Amino acid sequence: MSQIKPMIEDALNSAFRPKLLDVKDESYMHASGPDAQSHFKVTIVSDEFEGKRLIQRHRSVNRVLADVLSQIHALALHTYTEQEWQAQGQAPDSPHCMGGGH
């Protein structure tokens, strides 16, 4: 089985040259289990998002990750400009899944 997290990191680093990129495998929070590589949370801060609405940011990330998306169940995206990140300071916590996890 290929490692999904490095695939996400490599693709996003190449496409967006982020100032911050944090990719978390949150599969352990879901019924699929900790080794499933099925649920990921991405926090990305990039100048590429400047002047773009949230939907445009998410679409651009989804285009870059098109091959990966077919291999996973869920992807939570938190996309920020540097100014937004300085004001926000952190991405929100992910909710726990009703179907399992801890």
Side-chain angles (χ1 to χ4, degrees):
M1 176 190 269
S2 64
Q3 293 297 311
I4 302 294
K5 182 180 174 184
M7 291 170 60
I8 294 171
E9 291 169 335
D10 290 348
L12 294 178
N13 275 319
S14 292
F16 296 102
R17 299 178 313 278
K19 303 207 180 281
L20 178 135
L21 176 62
D22 184 32
V23 178
K24 291 189 169 116
D25 183 347
E26 296 187 331
S27 301
Y28 70 92
M29 296 170 61
H30 302 273
S32 55
D35 298 323
Q37 297 188 82
S38 59
H39 294 72
F40 289 86
K41 175 181 176 178
V42 170
T43 304
I44 183 170
V45 178
S46 175
D47 292 337
E48 299 291 321
F49 300 138
E50 199 68 49
K52 293 184 180 172
R53 296 182 356 219
L54 185 63
I55 189 71
Q56 293 170 309
R57 297 173 189 189
H58 286 205
R59 284 179 178 159
S60 64
V61 170
N62 287 339
R63 272 192 298 277
V64 168
L65 296 179
D67 291 339
V68 173
L69 291 176
S70 66
Q71 301 175 55
I72 64 176
H73 177 73
L75 178 67
L77 294 176
H78 303 280
T79 56
Y80 302 96
T81 64
E82 189 170 8
Q83 183 177 6
E84 291 167 340
W85 181 250
Q86 289 174 357
Q88 181 82 17
Q90 67 181 35
D93 291 335
S94 297
H96 288 282
C97 177
M98 296 297 291
H102 300 49

